[in-house]
Amino acid sequence: MVRSKAPSKKQQKKGIDFKKIKRKLGRKLPPPKNATNTEIKSKAIVLPEQSVATNKEGLAVSKKGLTLKELLQQSSHHNAKVRRDALMGIKDLVINHPAELRQHRYAVIEKLRERISDDDKVVREALYQLFKSEIFPGCAEDNQGLFISLLMTYIFNAMTNLAIDIRLMAFKFFDLVVQYYPPCFSLYAEKILQSYEDILRKNQFYLEDKGKLKTTLSGLVRCLSLLPSKKPESEKSISGDRIIHAFEPDTPTANTGFSTIIKKLKELVLVLINCFQDFIPLLNSMPQLDVLSFDCILSMLQSIDIAVRFFIYGIHEETPESICDQTLSSALSKKLLGVFPLYPKHHLSVKEDDRYFILNVVIAAIFLHLRELVCPSANVFEKFLEFIENALLGTICSSTRSGKATWEKHIPLLLPFIPKLASEVQTGWQSRILESFTWTFKDCNPESSLKLACLSMIEEMLIPRGYMHYTKASDTVVLDYQTVWIRELPLLLNLLGDKQPSSSQVVLCLLLRLGQFSGSNPFLFGEYENIQFALSEFYSTCQEGNLYYGPFMRLPRDCQELSICCLYYFSNLNVLLLKSLTFCCLCSELEPFVSFRIIEVLHAAYKAGHIQIVDHISFFMTLLSRFKILPESICPVRESDVKVSNHGTFKSLTAMLCSYLSQMGDSSVVFHIVEKAILGLILLQPPLENACAMLRVLIVLDSKPTLLSEQSIIALSNFLPGYLMDVVHCIPEDDVQTWRYYILPCFFMFDRSSKLLKLVLDVIGSFLTDSNLSLPSDTSTRYATDSLSRINATISLLLLIYKDVKVRKIISSFRTEIGSILQSIASLQSSEVKMTLEERHRFQSSVLEKHFPLVRMVGNQPRGRSSFVGNIEKKYRFS
Amino acid sequence: MNVVLASSSIDGGIGCWDLQTGAEQLRYKTCASPPHGLASIGCRFLACSQLRDPSAASGHVLYWSWSKPQAQVKSFPAEPIKPLAGNSEGSYIVGGGSSGDIYFWEVATGRLLKKWHAHYRAVTCLVFSDDDSLLISGSEDGCVRVWSLFMIFDDVRKQQASHLYEYSFTEHTLRVTDIVMGYGGGNAIIVSASEDRTCKVWSLSRGRLLRNVVFPSIIDAIAIDPGEHVFYAGGRDGKIYIAALNVESTPSNNYGLHIIGSLTDQSKPVTCLAYSAERNLLLSGSEDGMIRVWDVKTKNILRMFRHSKGPVNNILVVRLPYLLSRAEPKVQASSRRNEFSLHPPLEKYANSSDEDMDNRAIITLPDTIDLPSYLSSQLINDHIKQLQQQGSSAAAEMEVKRLKLDGQRSMEMFQQLKKVYDNLQEFCVNELLDGQAIEGSKGK
């Protein structure tokens, strides 16, 4: 404004310089004699507050230096410009001083509400902006009921104003109020619907100003969507900390009194239908369906849709039949459903196709809601079925990207009716509908919401809710499609990967429900069993020796939990799936908690008879023997390794498996199954940890005297010496806890079978003969390979044995074996074969300090000192 | 006399111990029960479903009377029955089948009154509410369902309704292992445990989940404290966790939200729990065949019973009939025989002919002589009698008081008269002496 004025002023000035001003000359008529003197003379008015000197310091002022009070006064000024300026000033003031608004909000509202029905368009617009941007957000957290009631009277007043613009603006205001305070609709529902009805009846205006109609209608859609409906029942939140028996105040339900508005709503629907009907010829005359008219029609249809839904599913006393009486149903079927489908007269653009598609979808949805009440003729019904089929197949929509997007967005509107339709129409249509539905399910983007909608429909069709009368299983058409859907699920799971955990969760939930339900239906039972093959890929796959982990490993915990639960319901878990689960459990990246959970659930499944005992035990054995310990060697457990080390995990895994195995039933039977497997594995020389775990399993299941067979005792006697020496070699002597953990199983075995002990001692003795020592590559030990360390290890081992009271008692009956071992150590000492000086020195210093106390201990046996002990002692004394 | 009854999944019979003294009672023979398969029917006799090898087509339910170790009635229902429950009076028995059906028998006649398909998979536990109007069942498919017996027996409403159950709680993902119910009939809470490592608390009045407690291990058994402050959950890791119901719990503790402590004995997995309200004792059965009696206040073990080698999977605490505990063998034997001749075995199929329905008694109340008399009318009579007696003694007391008062009064009278006579005598004596003195002086 200011800029455009400036040049014109300049021109004027130019003119003033040169232009001669013409003055009209001549006489004037004298004033009439009886004229009244209208001149008012007054002396100066003194307004102390308004003088420049007014002290406004400390008060919140706008840019123009006015306080809130002054601005509010000005807002009712007779000049529109001043009013607008005042509103702008208030906005400005509120932005800078938010506290001011909070303090005086009621005063502000009381003053400003008068402006809702302001004559001037600009003022109204400014007021709307002020409310929208400042006042509502600023007062959001307050008690809004009072606040709103202050406004509503003026809004209603404006709604009945004569000027159409003011009325439209009032609807806009109301829309704003509803946005910030939804309950206000239920408070004034009847009055509001009446107002909408009135304005929509004035059909001369909407054909002219579609933009305003559009805003009004969108407001209506918003209001109607607040109508209560039975359908959504997903209100389930557990308050965590609450005390269970605590007193709970009754919260008043917001949706009381909706029953009364049904009549009004019915009238409104009739008006909307008329409105829609008026639009139809317009559409035909227009060359093209423009955005505005499309939006208007869409809003109308949506409003009708919501109203119809409220009639049928809403919470009120009246039955749907009594609401949809003759007038309503005939109007609906003639004027709305009669014109279906809408199609473009002049085919121009693909966009237009999509628009018509959307409108048709909404009409079809309305029809499907009303189907039972209206009782359409077969002809009409056929028409709709055809449309639904085509819509699902995607043939109506354009194939462009935007067309596809529209399709994905609007098809879910039709999906909820599919289960009912499929169960009610004749066989020919049934297969066509199901076919097209299956096509939709397969074709849509796995991450889209359409997929989720399809999944929920599939759940409804597979698992009947409520009372369990299952549709006759002989229905082959349905069964075929059910098979397709079920087989698609694991593939979908793999396709989703870990990109969208929420979708994966939905699929897994469906699988779980299917598993729970499958017990009662032989067909589903078989299909669910078959899923296993495809599902194993979800966990891990092994191809040509390479291991590929599936999405299971990367999904969040709750999805993992769900997928583990699914395993329980396979009535016969096959080996392939079990194998892929084993790989997952063995993977070091998987959290220990999850792998424990897998084992736990699989054991529960075994208990329920869903896994063969052989498979189950071999699963356990594989875990024990193949579990990779990190870091590799047990010996130096440094502080820094504690974090990466998974020793603790493996220990608890061993304990868990031991307790499961002991719970499996008659332990002697289980022992015989396990014995063979373990001995086979042990002879492969597994790492110490795994060997220890397997020995532990054996002793848990064994009893005294031992159940081990002759053969296995011999096999063990070849294995144990090496194992024992390795343990002693690797674990520092002061780490009592650790070596007890590794050696205790052996002690138990010795306790149960003295024969084993004898054999073991023999083998240890034979290690120390010259010929064996010289053999550098002996495979019976992994760590203690050189002769020096082997001698060392033997001595420490014997020391350990003698420290343990119980084993010492057992070993006392094997004096000859011990004696020969000591003898050979002593003789080694003297023989000095192939040793450099340095080696010899080391040997002396390390062996001697240990050997001597050992000999002492052996010598202190109750039977007195035997001659060779004396000999050995002598030898040391002299050397 | 309160006794502890325990059975196991391998044949060790049903052990029976006196809770007070710890003395072992009669052991009932040949019983291998599934979890929740043991039930005392109205404290009159024991019923237990039997584990059978999976190939067996029919189930097996045995009855024992209290006095004899041998099973006295054997019935063979149409399919293997796992959980068994009786209502509090002992007039009905409910069994859960392995196909998900629930069977409802009348004890007195053995008739199968109702059978309905309740779950998709095998039923694992059954619980009656206090007032016997609701039945709660848990299943292998993770579903907990609440059945109203009014609905089950109302054929008209059954046809109208879309489903038979009152509520169906499907939040558990794996097998439901145990259900317990609080007090308050239709307004009570129920707690369910499952193999998904959670226990969930439900409200029966509102039909929704109130609380979800996640445990560190699978929970196989739960018991609720009579005050409903906490519940006890026996885990497969051998611990009995204490979870808060009504007490405030500190959010940061060792086990997780709502779990406020544990009872531990370094033992094998806990398989069943029972609560004895009389002395606030918690009984836990374990995989190693032991039954431990805990004092819940001190968290100490008071006593241990050894049942068998195999896992204990049922514990009941039952108040034995009065007569039995008094051990009067003759009377007992004859009465038992009578009673047992009344209970025919459970029928296999529902009989469609309802003619004899009216002829037979539906509820047979137990003989009142057998029970310790807690009937209110009898109690009141006793009290009145006692009061009367007390009243007469009071009257006597009053009489004594009155008599005492009388005696006191007569004593006073007596004293007064005595005084008068004394005065009179003194006067006379003085008179006489004075007279003599005058005479003497005169005589002088």
Side-chain angles (χ1 to χ4, degrees):
Chain A
M1 285 291 269
V2 184
R3 283 221 171 152
S4 60
K5 260 188 177 174
S8 65
K9 265 188 184 169
K10 257 186 187 171
Q11 275 176 357
Q12 271 182 354
K13 269 186 186 169
K14 256 184 198 170
I16 287 167
D17 286 344
F18 302 103
K19 211 175 179 181
K20 204 173 180 186
I21 297 161
K22 286 179 182 171
R23 287 224 168 81
K24 213 173 184 179
L25 299 173
R27 288 199 309 168
K28 277 182 188 168
L29 273 173
K33 273 170 193 161
N34 59 351
T36 350
N37 186 6
T38 55
E39 254 177 59
I40 299 167
K41 284 177 185 169
S42 67
K43 297 203 168 172
I45 304 167
V46 181
L47 280 173
E49 285 97 338
Q50 281 190 359
S51 72
V52 190
T54 318
N55 187 12
K56 284 181 183 172
E57 263 176 51
L59 285 173
V61 288
S62 70
K63 265 182 198 159
K64 289 182 180 170
L66 296 167
T67 61
L68 188 63
K69 197 178 170 191
E70 288 162 347
L71 286 167
L72 286 176
Q73 271 171 1
Q74 280 187 16
S75 71
S76 48
H77 197 270
H78 62 87
N79 187 343
K81 266 191 182 169
V82 177
R83 291 201 300 263
R84 194 202 65 200
D85 285 346
L87 291 176
M88 302 299 259
I90 290 173
K91 189 174 175 182
D92 180 55
L93 182 110
V94 167
I95 289 171
N96 290 324
H97 309 276
E100 201 75 356
L101 175 65
R102 245 171 282 137
Q103 251 173 7
H104 305 288
R105 57 177 182 271
Y106 291 116
V108 172
I109 293 283
E110 266 181 30
K111 194 73 191 168
L112 288 185
R113 61 185 182 171
E114 294 160 15
R115 295 278 70 76
I116 289 173
S117 44
D118 198 290
D119 298 331
D120 193 86
K121 194 180 166 187
V122 185
V123 175
R124 286 198 307 265
E125 195 55 46
L127 183 70
Y128 180 79
Q129 290 305 331
L130 175 63
F131 269 105
K132 191 178 175 185
S133 61
E134 302 305 327
I135 293 178
F136 276 119
C139 304
E141 70 275 11
D142 295 322
N143 175 20
Q144 287 176 319
L146 179 63
F147 191 83
I148 298 300
S149 65
L150 283 175
L151 272 179
M152 283 313 288
T153 21
Y154 279 80
I155 291 180
F156 283 129
N157 200 8
M159 278 180 179
T160 50
N161 203 304
L162 277 177
I164 200 100
D165 273 350
I166 294 177
R167 287 171 75 170
L168 288 174
M169 200 64 198
F171 283 107
K172 217 171 151 187
F173 267 112
F174 177 68
D175 192 22
L176 193 68
V177 171
V178 170
Q179 273 177 48
Y180 280 96
Y181 187 65
C184 98
F185 172 64
S186 62
L187 290 173
Y188 304 99
E190 198 169 355
K191 223 166 171 182
I192 288 160
L193 291 181
Q194 179 67 48
S195 314
Y196 271 114
E197 193 190 323
D198 289 346
I199 193 118
L200 289 173
R201 270 188 207 286
K202 290 200 181 295
N203 51 1
Q204 75 276 11
F205 95 90
Y206 50 70
L207 300 176
E208 290 148 19
D209 197 346
K210 283 173 193 153
K212 274 176 188 151
L213 180 66
K214 188 190 140 193
T215 47
T216 316
L217 281 172
S218 68
L220 180 62
V221 172
R222 198 194 310 279
C223 286
L224 290 179
S225 59
L226 292 171
L227 286 170
S229 164
K230 273 180 212 156
K231 274 214 161 169
E233 46 184 36
S234 58
E235 182 258 318
K236 263 169 195 161
S237 59
I238 329 158
S239 43
D241 318 310
R242 266 199 49 249
I243 298 174
I244 283 179
H245 291 301
F247 170 74
E248 223 171 72
D250 289 335
T251 44
T253 43
N255 44 36
T256 44
F258 272 111
S259 317
T260 53
I261 62 159
I262 285 181
K263 201 167 155 246
K264 272 267 105 64
L265 199 58
K266 225 157 88 179
E267 283 165 16
L268 182 67
V269 169
L270 288 173
V271 172
L272 279 170
I273 292 171
N274 283 334
C275 225
F276 173 74
Q277 203 187 15
D278 290 342
F279 255 98
I280 297 299
L282 206 68
L283 284 184
N284 293 341
S285 65
M286 273 195 302
Q288 190 181 352
L289 181 59
D290 60 321
V291 186
L292 273 181
S293 8
F294 164 71
D295 282 344
C296 289
I297 299 176
L298 185 60
S299 301
M300 280 178 214
L301 289 175
Q302 277 172 344
S303 308
I304 296 173
D305 182 43
I306 294 167
V308 166
R309 262 189 285 163
F310 177 67
F311 291 152
I312 298 175
Y313 315 110
I315 303 164
H316 48 72
E317 281 91 50
E318 287 182 62
T319 57
E321 286 78 17
S322 68
I323 299 168
C324 290
D325 53 1
Q326 195 56 42
T327 44
L328 187 63
S329 61
S330 71
L332 275 168
S333 52
K334 253 185 225 154
K335 294 175 182 170
L336 187 64
L337 310 179
V339 295
F340 180 84
L342 300 172
Y343 51 88
K345 281 278 176 295
H346 323 276
H347 190 82
L348 284 173
S349 68
V350 269
K351 228 176 203 169
E352 201 165 341
D353 273 350
D354 293 343
R355 282 183 192 147
Y356 276 105
F357 168 72
I358 294 168
L359 294 181
N360 283 330
V361 165
V362 180
I363 295 176
I366 295 171
F367 166 76
L368 289 168
H369 282 304
L370 285 170
R371 189 163 59 91
E372 275 154 26
L373 299 174
V374 177
C375 303
S377 62
N379 228 355
V380 178
F381 193 32
E382 201 104 317
K383 203 164 70 179
F384 275 100
L385 283 178
E386 207 155 328
F387 171 76
I388 291 166
E389 188 192 7
N390 289 329
L392 286 173
L393 286 172
T395 47
I396 304 177
C397 245
S398 57
S399 52
T400 57
R401 189 185 296 165
S402 68
K404 184 93 177 164
T406 330
W407 179 71
E408 285 205 342
K409 197 178 156 208
H410 290 272
I411 278 291
L413 211 56
L414 293 178
L415 286 179
F417 306 99
I418 300 292
K420 206 157 185 225
L421 270 183
S423 65
E424 283 173 15
V425 292
Q426 319 105 309
T427 330
W429 272 112
Q430 188 184 29
S431 65
R432 280 172 75 178
I433 295 276
L434 286 176
E435 174 70 44
S436 53
F437 171 73
T438 311
W439 190 89
T440 309
F441 172 58
K442 279 184 165 176
D443 187 60
C444 64
N445 183 3
E447 285 155 43
S448 64
S449 59
L450 179 56
K451 200 75 160 186
L452 294 183
C454 284
L455 284 172
S456 73
M457 287 310 109
I458 287 174
E459 181 169 359
E460 200 167 309
M461 282 189 271
L462 285 175
I463 304 164
R465 290 217 183 93
Y467 190 48
M468 286 173 276
H469 45 73
Y470 187 67
T471 46
K472 53 239 176 263
S474 57
D475 207 343
T476 47
V477 185
V478 183
L479 287 189
D480 282 348
Y481 291 110
Q482 289 188 340
T483 316
V484 175
W485 301 333
I486 293 174
R487 290 188 183 160
E488 192 72 13
L489 292 178
L491 303 180
L492 177 62
L493 215 49
N494 291 331
L495 206 66
L496 277 169
D498 56 347
K499 280 174 281 181
Q500 205 163 348
S502 59
S503 302
S504 300
Q505 193 171 8
V506 173
V507 181
L508 286 167
C509 262
L510 178 55
L511 275 180
L512 183 68
R513 292 266 165 273
L514 210 58
Q516 291 173 336
F517 177 67
S518 70
S520 66
N521 181 332
F523 159 72
L524 283 182
F525 183 79
E527 275 308 315
Y528 191 68
E529 289 298 296
N530 288 340
I531 291 178
Q532 292 184 57
F533 296 98
L535 201 63
S536 65
E537 203 175 316
F538 173 68
Y539 295 100
S540 69
T541 41
C542 192
Q543 281 172 353
E544 297 144 13
N546 289 333
L547 205 56
Y548 301 101
Y549 291 113
F552 171 75
M553 305 290 281
R554 298 182 301 275
L555 281 171
R557 178 74 71 79
D558 46 351
C559 289
Q560 287 179 334
E561 174 70 32
L562 273 177
S563 58
I564 293 169
C565 289
C566 288
L567 300 171
Y568 179 82
Y569 294 103
F570 293 115
S571 72
N572 198 356
L573 213 67
N574 69 23
V575 182
L576 184 69
L577 184 58
L578 210 53
K579 223 182 243 173
S580 66
L581 283 168
T582 318
F583 287 130
C584 285
C585 287
L586 289 173
C587 176
S588 57
E589 283 157 38
L590 194 68
E591 278 177 82
F593 175 84
V594 179
S595 60
F596 286 168
R597 188 79 188 118
I598 293 178
I599 298 165
E600 196 175 69
V601 171
L602 285 180
H603 189 66
Y606 161 76
K607 271 189 166 173
H610 298 169
I611 305 179
Q612 302 282 323
I613 183 163
V614 182
D615 293 342
H616 196 52
I617 287 181
S618 65
F619 168 64
F620 281 179
M621 288 304 122
T622 316
L623 285 183
L624 285 181
S625 61
R626 300 273 283 276
F627 193 90
K628 270 231 171 62
I629 304 285
L630 299 168
E632 289 276 344
S633 65
I634 42 167
C635 35
V637 186
R638 276 161 306 190
E639 295 297 304
S640 58
D641 287 341
V642 176
K643 270 184 201 163
V644 267
S645 154
N646 55 5
H647 277 129
T649 312
F650 188 60
K651 270 187 192 173
S652 40
L653 178 75
T654 313
M656 189 176 177
L657 294 186
C658 281
S659 80
Y660 282 164
L661 282 167
S662 64
Q663 284 167 35
M664 271 169 91
D666 190 354
S667 56
S668 64
V669 178
V670 181
F671 179 80
H672 282 303
I673 303 173
V674 172
E675 183 189 4
K676 245 179 242 160
I678 286 189
L679 284 170
L681 289 167
I682 266 185
L683 293 181
L684 299 174
Q685 296 280 335
L688 286 184
E689 292 85 353
N690 304 57
C692 171
M694 285 186 268
L695 292 176
R696 280 183 164 259
V697 168
L698 274 185
I699 59 156
V700 162
L701 294 172
D702 200 1
S703 58
K704 188 176 178 177
T706 185
L707 295 168
L708 284 165
S709 67
E710 200 70 16
Q711 244 176 328
S712 25
I713 287 182
I714 294 169
L716 275 175
S717 72
N718 285 325
F719 167 75
L720 285 181
Y723 169 77
L724 284 170
M725 287 168 86
D726 280 346
V727 168
V728 174
H729 177 76
C730 294
I731 300 168
E733 219 170 308
D734 48 346
D735 195 356
V736 183
Q737 203 107 59
T738 316
W739 72 250
R740 271 189 80 82
Y741 182 81
Y742 286 99
I743 289 188
L744 219 53
C746 302
F747 285 2
F748 267 97
M749 284 183 169
F750 296 157
D751 181 33
R752 285 168 186 172
S753 156
S754 51
K755 191 181 173 196
L756 180 64
L757 180 56
K758 183 181 165 355
L759 287 172
V760 167
L761 287 174
D762 283 346
V763 175
I764 293 178
S766 71
F767 277 167
L768 298 168
T769 56
D770 293 348
S771 57
N772 263 339
L773 272 180
S774 53
L775 233 70
S777 60
D778 191 347
T779 49
S780 61
T781 52
R782 285 167 71 105
Y783 300 104
T785 43
D786 60 314
S787 58
L788 176 64
S789 53
R790 205 177 278 181
I791 294 171
N792 233 334
T794 315
I795 295 171
S796 341
L797 176 63
L798 288 177
L799 269 174
L800 282 180
I801 288 176
Y802 274 94
K803 269 182 200 162
D804 193 294
V805 183
K806 214 175 168 190
V807 192
R808 185 157 44 170
K809 230 176 250 170
I810 307 160
I811 214 167
S812 60
S813 54
F814 296 100
R815 302 183 63 81
T816 39
E817 281 80 7
I818 300 281
S820 71
I821 293 173
L822 292 179
Q823 197 98 50
S824 50
I825 295 174
S827 64
L828 267 178
Q829 229 270 297
S830 54
S831 64
E832 311 158 19
V833 216
K834 291 178 205 160
M835 275 194 200
T836 60
L837 200 67
E838 193 195 352
E839 256 183 355
R840 198 184 147 77
H841 179 71
R842 267 202 305 163
F843 180 82
Q844 294 255 338
S845 57
S846 65
V847 171
L848 274 183
E849 68 184 51
K850 281 183 188 167
H851 196 178
F852 195 67
L854 174 65
V855 175
R856 268 276 151 78
M857 268 173 151
V858 178
N860 285 342
Q861 290 302 301
R863 262 208 265 161
R865 320 164 112 210
S866 40
S867 59
F868 60 83
V869 175
N871 287 342
I872 294 165
E873 276 191 19
K874 257 180 227 161
K875 216 171 247 175
Y876 281 119
R877 233 167 270 153
F878 293 121
S879 57
Chain B
M1 179 168 80
N2 274 356
V3 294
V4 182
L5 294 163
S7 70
S8 155
S9 62
I10 60 171
D11 187 4
I14 302 173
C16 180
W17 296 269
D18 188 337
L19 186 55
Q20 192 95 34
T21 62
E24 176 151 15
Q25 312 280 314
L26 205 57
R27 191 170 272 245
Y28 303 96
K29 286 190 180 131
T30 56
C31 169
S33 61
H36 308 292
L38 183 68
S40 112
I41 308 299
C43 290
R44 283 182 295 153
F45 62 95
L46 271 177
C48 184
S49 59
Q50 298 296 304
L51 280 172
R52 313 198 83 188
D53 61 304
S55 57
S58 75
H60 195 186
V61 177
L62 299 176
Y63 289 174
W64 286 266
S65 74
W66 292 119
S67 56
K68 283 190 181 168
Q70 281 82 25
Q72 292 192 314
V73 181
K74 294 179 181 173
S75 10
F76 300 93
E79 61 165 326
I81 297 291
K82 276 177 180 165
L84 211 60
N87 66 342
S88 52
E89 283 150 358
S91 44
Y92 301 109
I93 286 186
V94 192
S98 59
S99 68
D101 288 354
I102 291 180
Y103 295 79
F104 198 97
W105 288 286
E106 188 180 32
V107 174
T109 60
R111 274 160 26 98
L112 179 59
L113 296 181
K114 267 293 181 279
K115 173 197 152 186
W116 69 97
H117 192 56
H119 291 280
Y120 300 128
R121 282 169 183 266
V123 183
T124 54
C125 38
L126 284 170
V127 178
F128 265 108
S129 67
D130 296 346
D131 56 356
D132 293 336
S133 67
L134 296 176
L135 180 70
I136 298 146
S137 64
S139 153
E140 246 174 43
D141 59 17
C143 197
V144 175
R145 284 188 168 159
V146 182
W147 312 88
S148 161
L149 294 184
F150 298 119
M151 183 71 166
I152 300 283
F153 283 92
D154 191 338
D155 289 331
V156 181
R157 259 175 72 206
K158 216 158 95 177
Q159 275 169 357
Q160 287 168 351
S162 61
H163 51 74
L164 258 178
Y165 53 79
E166 296 290 307
Y167 300 117
S168 173
F169 302 125
T170 55
E171 272 87 344
H172 280 304
T173 50
L174 290 179
R175 196 170 82 98
V176 177
T177 52
D178 202 359
I179 296 175
V180 288
M181 192 173 180
Y183 294 100
N187 290 321
I189 53 162
I190 53 175
V191 186
S192 61
S194 160
E195 277 180 349
D196 59 10
R197 284 191 173 185
T198 63
C199 283
K200 294 183 198 281
V201 183
W202 315 88
S203 155
L204 276 187
S205 56
R206 272 171 295 171
R208 66 187 201 91
L209 184 61
L210 292 178
R211 181 167 289 185
N212 183 23
V213 190
V214 183
F215 287 90
S217 96
I218 291 181
I219 299 302
D220 270 331
I222 33 181
I224 200 163
D225 153 57
E228 290 181 24
H229 293 298
V230 294
F231 70 90
Y232 301 92
R236 289 215 177 142
D237 56 358
K239 285 181 184 159
I240 300 172
Y241 295 99
I242 306 172
L245 279 178
N246 215 7
V247 287
E248 294 282 0
S249 61
T250 46
S252 63
N253 54 32
N254 302 334
Y255 304 118
L257 192 64
H258 298 308
I259 305 175
I260 51 177
S262 68
L263 304 170
T264 45
D265 187 32
Q266 299 290 331
S267 66
K268 292 278 184 66
V270 177
T271 49
C272 48
L273 290 174
Y275 199 93
S276 164
E278 197 175 349
R279 289 169 60 205
N280 269 335
L281 299 177
L282 182 71
L283 291 95
S284 72
S286 126
E287 193 85 26
D288 56 9
M290 303 299 285
I291 298 152
R292 292 171 176 78
V293 183
W294 304 80
D295 184 349
V296 291
K297 269 188 195 147
T298 59
K299 299 188 180 178
N300 289 329
I301 297 179
L302 294 183
R303 186 165 275 151
M304 274 164 78
F305 302 119
R306 174 157 193 87
H307 176 254
S308 67
K309 268 193 166 180
V312 179
N313 57 12
N314 284 293
I315 301 183
L316 289 180
V317 178
V318 179
R319 174 189 287 278
L320 268 199
Y322 192 61
L323 262 183
L324 251 187
S325 55
R326 281 290 173 85
E328 289 173 62
K330 271 186 190 171
V331 183
Q332 190 185 315
S334 62
S335 76
R336 283 310 111 175
R337 205 171 301 132
N338 280 338
E339 193 180 317
F340 263 78
S341 60
L342 285 176
H343 299 323
L346 304 172
E347 277 175 13
K348 220 170 194 177
Y349 303 107
N351 230 337
S352 55
S353 59
D354 280 4
E355 313 146 16
D356 53 349
M357 180 80 153
D358 302 327
N359 301 340
R360 298 200 189 176
I362 292 177
I363 298 175
T364 51
L365 282 172
D367 292 338
T368 41
I369 315 155
D370 272 354
L371 289 172
S373 56
Y374 282 120
L375 289 175
S376 53
S377 65
Q378 237 165 358
L379 267 182
I380 283 176
N381 278 335
D382 279 358
H383 274 294
I384 287 172
K385 228 182 229 171
Q386 237 174 350
L387 271 175
Q388 275 173 347
Q389 281 166 1
Q390 273 175 8
S392 67
S393 73
E397 216 166 276
M398 262 163 69
E399 192 78 14
V400 169
K401 227 179 220 173
R402 195 172 57 83
L403 286 173
K404 262 185 192 166
L405 217 70
D406 270 5
Q408 215 171 354
R409 210 178 292 155
S410 29
M411 279 301 278
E412 267 171 37
M413 197 90 96
F414 165 73
Q415 291 288 347
Q416 218 169 353
L417 284 173
K418 202 184 164 190
K419 218 175 172 182
V420 170
Y421 279 118
D422 278 350
N423 285 342
L424 200 65
Q425 200 197 1
E426 205 184 314
F427 176 75
C428 287
V429 169
N430 284 343
E431 278 297 297
L432 277 175
L433 285 179
D434 283 351
Q436 274 176 357
I438 293 163
E439 269 176 33
S441 66
K442 270 180 187 171
K444 271 176 196 173

